[in-house]
Amino acid sequence: MIPIAPIFVRSKEILEKLSLLLDDERLAYGEVNSQTILSLSEQKQTLLDEMNQLNEKRVNVLIKFDIVDRKNPTEEAFKKWLSLQDSSMDNVRLLMQECDTLLRQCKTKNNTNARILNTLQKRNKHLFELLQGHNSKNKVYTARGSTRPISSKHTLGRA
């Protein structure tokens, strides 16, 4: 028997935790709580690092048991092999499906959070330019071809 089920069990646990962290991150963006956002980011990175280690371990196990090609291990080769196995591997199939579903949910949540963060960054940049007295319509080209605002002598700080 191939010891792959425990790897998928742990992967599922990590993905569930990651999903909850992404929910918390979205709430933190709404509250604009930078400390919470930074803490959640560190927690996410820890989970992602562990997930990468698990994936490496899984690939190494699959290579060791000659399930996937040593030089080019692919997910498709593993899925094909798994589909040919008898019902003793049903638990692994189920765990893999659950992990795929959780992974898709995490990707959707992460993309949503990225859009929220992008919107917040644009808003903060606009507010910062207003404080500096820049008008987004008054821009000039730099030597490199990008644009930069023309600074005003009547900034909010000088008023």
Side-chain angles (χ1 to χ4, degrees), residues 88-100:
S88 66
M89 296 297 280
D90 282 348
N91 65 331
V92 174
R93 283 187 201 95
L94 180 62
L95 284 168
M96 190 171 171
Q97 288 173 351
E98 291 172 343
C99 286
D100 283 344

Side-chain angles (χ1 to χ4, degrees), residues 31-68:
E31 297 168 356
V32 193
N33 186 336
S34 61
Q35 289 298 338
T36 303
I37 293 168
L38 290 173
S39 172
L40 291 170
S41 178
E42 290 171 3
Q43 293 175 49
K44 281 188 343 184
Q45 189 60 51
T46 301
L47 289 175
L48 292 174
D49 289 344
E50 186 178 351
M51 186 64 118
N52 284 335
Q53 291 171 350
L54 279 173
N55 283 333
E56 288 177 21
K57 183 177 179 181
R58 180 176 59 95
V59 168
N60 289 336
V61 167
L62 296 176
I63 289 172
K64 180 179 177 183
F65 285 90
D66 284 332
I67 295 170
V68 295

Side-chain angles (χ1 to χ4, degrees), residues 123-136 152 154-157:
R123 183 189 72 184
N124 288 342
K125 181 181 177 196
H126 178 71
L127 291 173
F128 182 67
E129 286 176 352
L130 284 175
L131 287 173
Q132 289 182 321
H134 296 176
N135 184 343
S136 61
S152 171
H154 302 294
T155 62
L156 188 60

Side-chain angles (χ1 to χ4, degrees), residues 3-4 6 11 15 17 19-20 31 34 37-38 45 59-60 65 85 90 107-108 119-120 128 137 147-150 156:
I4 199 132
S11 293
L15 288 168
K17 288 180 183 178
S19 180
L20 292 173
E31 297 168 356
S34 61
I37 293 168
L38 290 173
Q45 189 60 51
V59 168
N60 289 336
F65 285 90
Q85 301 307 304
D90 282 348
K107 284 181 178 181
T108 300
T119 301
L120 289 172
F128 182 67
K137 294 178 183 176
T147 59
R148 67 175 173 84
I150 301 172
L156 188 60

